[in-house]
Amino acid sequence: MRTMRGWFRDTTGGLPRTFWYLWTGTLVNRLGSFVLIFLAIYLTQERGFDELAAGLVLSLWGVGGAVGTTLGGMLADRWGRRPTLLTSHLGAASMMLALGFARELWAVAVGALLLGLFAEAARPAFGAMMIDVVPERDRLRAFSLNYWAINLGFASAAILAGLAAEASYLLLFVIDAVTTLTTAVIIFVKVRETRVPAVAVALAAGAARPRGALRTILTDRVYLGFVALNLLGALVFLQHISMLPIAMGDDGLSPSTYGTVIALNGVLIVAGQLFVPRLIRGRSRSHVLALASVVMGVGFGLTAFADIAWFYALTVLVWTVGEMLNSPSNSTLIAELSPADLRGRYQGVFSLSWQLAGATAPLLGGLVRQQAGNGALWLGCAAIGVVMAVAHLASGPARERRAVALRPPAAPVEPVTVVRPPAPQAAEAAAIAPTEPVGSATDGYAPEPDRDRRAAPTR
């Protein structure tokens, strides 16, 4: 029991209050994330649109999300994290209701486009605020806790959404809007602005105010290389919601079986994600990311040999372990590679990689599967995992050097002024206590080398 309390304290203790408000908002928002789970089914079964129209609506949601992440990142840096979060949540709640009441295809399409824009605009601001309030030493724990909340909320939403859909599909949109508004209220009441103006950041670093944010990002080869690796990983990872249900259907497995198998992903993350920080603490992030890439690749590669439910379940469990290792290391590294005054835009570029993967992963997966076969698709995913692992190992040192260079300078410690007593007093002190050398810990003085060491900035 004592060990469990110690683990809980080490996992959750010492994090700032603002983080817990953001964490609560994440959990509430994810508990109501009904619409995206059932949107394709709603469009085809409830609204009567064909597959092409439904695909168009989902694509427009992705286009809106790509625009939203870019715009949200810029606003988070220029306007502020808090107003960006409030505006995006209020806009998303409004569009959620509008989409629920829309009937014509054009109205549904516009609603999906604007919903994607507002919903995804919150991501860069949220990520930047998390980095603002959580010290670097605690970010691994903080991002793991937030990722745990996301999966707990999403797994619960999948169950609740099924119950709500039986009553009314409109209820899905209403509940989703209410939870989004609840998150906005939490931010409005409890969360203050955390953005530090660019001028203050520049002055703190002893440099001139940075110019050309877009140029800075486009010329940051270390960061863009990391984003490119994330795009590759996302292309593999998102096959679980595009090609995996098709593969299982070809083997005669029902949609409900797919739902049960894929639910193991959330169950494993909720059960084990909070133990990951202690497992990877102190280890090379590049090695952890490389291992995660291999494990995820192996998990998806095994799908080529699966033909029954338990084998598919095994593949999901394997690549979920890779996902659990990847997420916290990925998030902390993105945080450290983002300059303080450009955190929102850097988070936006990172989120954009997921939006691009969401739009292209189904197309590429379907093309490979159609032209080369099911086995080639999944073995190709395994090959990409190995390539990513090698790339992480090769690019890791440059990323860590960049992360060190971007850390704010430590505040210099005031030098310790040593006032030595006059010679007669020193002699008298020595006569009284001859066994106590000057400069020892007991007399309050320090020898010169010790003083210099304490006066030097430490990290």
Side-chain angles (χ1 to χ4, degrees):
M1 185 66 179
R2 184 176 301 174
T3 303
M4 193 65 182
R5 285 200 300 266
W7 167 82
F8 185 78
R9 184 175 59 253
D10 292 343
T11 303
T12 63
L15 293 171
R17 185 177 300 176
T18 300
F19 164 78
W20 289 111
Y21 292 138
L22 294 173
W23 184 90
T24 303
T26 296
L27 181 60
V28 170
N29 204 357
R30 292 290 174 167
L31 282 171
S33 58
F34 296 166
V35 170
L36 293 181
I37 300 174
F38 278 82
L39 185 56
I41 299 175
Y42 166 77
L43 293 173
T44 54
Q45 295 185 6
E46 180 72 8
R47 303 302 315 135
F49 298 137
D50 59 26
E51 288 79 2
L52 180 60
L56 173 64
V57 172
L58 292 173
S59 296
L60 287 174
W61 188 93
V63 171
V67 176
T69 54
T70 305
L71 183 62
M74 182 184 68
L75 290 175
D77 287 336
R78 292 188 175 182
W79 191 23
R81 298 15 169 165
R82 186 172 181 265
T84 302
L85 284 172
L86 289 173
T87 302
S88 60
H89 280 84
L90 292 174
S94 301
M95 289 302 104
M96 204 81 67
L97 291 175
L99 187 59
F101 286 103
R103 291 296 178 264
E104 300 295 331
L105 178 59
W106 69 267
V108 173
V110 172
L113 176 70
L114 294 177
L115 175 59
L117 188 151
F118 282 111
E120 296 303 319
R123 291 185 184 274
F126 182 89
M129 184 172 275
M130 286 270 291
I131 300 170
D132 291 341
V133 301
V134 178
E136 180 184 335
R137 66 179 181 276
D138 295 325
R139 285 175 187 161
L140 181 64
R141 292 189 297 128
F143 282 115
S144 293
L145 285 165
N146 190 64
Y147 189 62
W148 182 83
I150 289 173
N151 282 274
L152 175 61
F154 188 80
S156 302
I159 299 173
L160 296 174
L163 299 176
E166 291 183 1
S168 169
Y169 275 103
L170 179 60
L171 187 60
L172 298 178
F173 293 91
V174 173
I175 295 178
D176 209 336
V178 169
T179 55
T180 304
L181 282 175
T182 303
T183 302
V185 171
I186 293 173
I187 295 170
F188 180 77
V189 175
K190 294 295 186 180
V191 177
R192 297 181 179 180
E193 178 57 55
T194 62
R195 179 180 68 99
V196 178
V199 173
V201 173
L203 291 176
R209 178 174 179 170
R211 297 180 179 179
L214 181 60
R215 178 181 299 178
T216 299
I217 296 174
L218 294 179
T219 56
D220 192 340
R221 291 181 295 178
V222 172
Y223 182 78
L224 291 181
F226 186 62
V227 172
L229 287 178
N230 184 75
L231 176 60
L232 278 179
L235 288 173
V236 172
F237 178 73
L238 293 178
Q239 298 302 322
H240 80 280
I241 58 175
S242 56
M243 294 298 109
L244 182 59
I246 296 176
M248 293 181 66
D250 288 348
D251 286 328
L253 301 174
S254 66
S256 61
T257 302
Y258 165 74
T260 302
V261 167
I262 206 65
L264 293 174
N265 170 255
V267 171
L268 182 57
I269 290 174
V270 170
Q273 186 65 47
L274 296 184
F275 297 94
V276 172
R278 175 169 291 187
L279 179 65
I280 65 177
R281 184 183 302 160
R283 302 184 185 276
S284 166
R285 278 185 297 204
S286 299
H287 291 175
V288 173
L289 289 170
L291 176 62
S293 299
V294 171
V295 173
M296 189 167 64
V298 168
F300 280 99
L302 287 173
T303 310
F305 309 100
D307 57 357
I308 54 178
W310 72 264
F311 203 148
Y312 279 110
L314 176 63
T315 67
V316 170
L317 292 176
V318 172
W319 58 254
T320 297
V321 172
E323 179 189 358
M324 293 167 64
L325 292 173
N326 177 80
S327 178
S329 298
N330 209 347
S331 299
T332 56
L333 193 51
I334 286 292
E336 292 186 35
L337 293 177
S338 305
D341 59 314
L342 298 178
R343 280 174 181 163
R345 275 168 276 201
Y346 268 66
Q347 290 285 321
V349 171
F350 178 71
S351 298
L352 185 60
S353 67
W354 280 100
Q355 299 299 324
L356 292 176
T360 56
L363 299 176
L364 292 175
L367 181 63
V368 172
R369 196 170 186 275
Q370 181 178 348
Q371 298 297 324
N374 185 67
L377 169 64
W378 303 114
L379 293 177
C381 289
I384 292 176
V386 174
V387 170
M388 287 177 57
V390 174
H392 276 304
L393 294 176
S395 59
R399 290 197 302 256
E400 295 300 332
R401 288 194 298 268
R402 174 62 58 83
V404 171
L406 288 175
R407 287 173 187 162
V413 179
E414 292 294 330
V416 178
T417 303
V418 179
V419 180
R420 298 187 179 279
Q425 295 180 15
E428 182 180 347
I432 295 174
T435 59
E436 203 63 54
V438 176
S440 69
T442 56
D443 66 10
Y445 305 136
E448 292 298 322
D450 225 23
R451 183 188 64 184
D452 292 341
R453 177 176 60 81
R454 289 185 292 159
T458 58
R459 191 175 299 280

